[in-house]
Amino acid sequence: MRVKDLPSRERPRERLMTSGPAALADRELLAVLLGSGFRGTSAMDLASQVIEHCGDLDGLARAEPHRLLAVRGVGPAKAARVAAAFHLVRRAQADPERPRITSTSDLATVAAPLLQGLSRERLVVVVCDPRGAVLRRTVLTEGGADHTAVPVREIIATVLTSGGAAFAVAHNHPSGSLDPSNDDLTATARLAAAAHTVGLRLLDHLIITDTAWKRVPVP
């Protein structure tokens, strides 16, 4: 039976979207990658044949694209797609451990490269998992020589869509001053309150210059 003839709740792609990848068998996950079968053979049947051809899932993960071409119904596009997916996994596993925010000094180390040597103020958001591992760091706003926006709603949305549980913010003062302005203090208080409302934790807010950094008090 062709995959498209199955009830929608049984199709691998739809099940992946509703229940997550862990709910799918190996051949179903591979069928999603392959995208289609060929006349008389469904994508799931083709996926089973590819896995059998390689011996097992580990063999498939290490298979060169040209080896996959020996399976009827697998052309260069499908072979390249499968090989690329497994190679991306190997690259992700080979990446160094994510930096971790356990202190204000750690935050300064992570944020400073995005804030130093600039003539304009910018705001950086650092998103972390529950243990403080950095999931994302991003420049959220850039303003003038002595100000930049601190959009509370956008910051919270960035953290939530990144899957974060905690976050920190930092901005630069091109003037070299480490003293927080009244706007800095007000924005930090608003941000801490908004984070608490949605179950997030604001770790810190830093002012960073080219030579030093200073905490903005978090209520």
Side-chain angles (χ1 to χ4, degrees):
M1 179 183 291
R2 298 177 302 177
V3 171
K4 67 180 180 180
D5 293 330
L6 292 170
S8 60
R9 66 181 180 278
E10 296 180 17
R11 297 173 192 166
R13 186 182 304 163
E14 284 75 5
R15 287 181 56 223
L16 186 149
M17 296 301 295
T18 57
S19 303
L24 275 64
D26 293 346
R27 72 170 190 149
E28 292 175 310
L29 290 169
L30 182 56
V32 173
L33 269 179
L34 293 172
S36 64
F38 60 98
R39 185 181 295 275
T41 300
S42 70
M44 282 199 287
D45 290 337
L46 180 57
S48 295
Q49 293 172 18
V50 170
I51 294 173
E52 183 179 357
H53 175 73
C54 295
D56 54 23
L57 197 60
D58 183 61
L60 174 60
R62 293 182 286 103
E64 294 293 331
H66 292 291
R67 182 181 178 188
L68 303 182
L69 294 176
V71 180
R72 185 183 176 212
V74 177
K78 286 184 171 67
R81 195 180 304 137
V82 172
F86 280 108
H87 191 74
L88 279 173
V89 172
R90 287 195 293 273
R91 285 192 182 181
Q93 292 174 339
D95 279 349
E97 185 178 353
R98 293 179 185 275
R100 195 176 299 276
I101 304 300
T102 61
S103 66
T104 306
S105 179
D106 291 339
L107 174 59
T109 298
V110 169
L114 299 177
L115 294 171
Q116 292 177 331
L118 303 173
S119 59
R120 294 172 177 250
E121 281 197 17
R122 58 167 50 170
L123 178 76
V124 167
V125 179
V126 180
V127 182
C128 301
D129 70 10
R131 298 191 304 163
V134 175
L135 301 175
R136 181 183 180 189
R137 62 173 186 167
T138 184
V139 176
L140 203 63
T141 64
E142 186 161 352
D146 59 357
H147 70 280
T148 191
V150 182
V152 172
R153 182 176 299 179
E154 189 176 349
I155 292 170
I156 297 298
T158 297
V159 179
L160 291 174
T161 56
S162 301
F167 69 101
V169 294
H171 74 280
N172 61 318
H173 278 181
S175 67
S177 170
L178 287 171
D179 295 327
S181 66
N182 288 333
D183 287 343
D184 292 337
L185 297 171
T186 300
T188 304
R190 290 178 56 227
L191 193 53
H196 178 73
T197 299
V198 295
L200 297 175
R201 186 159 55 103
L202 175 59
L203 299 173
D204 237 327
H205 182 182
L206 293 190
I207 295 171
I208 294 179
T209 69
D210 286 352
T211 58
W213 54 264
K214 183 178 182 178
R215 294 184 68 240
V216 178
V218 176

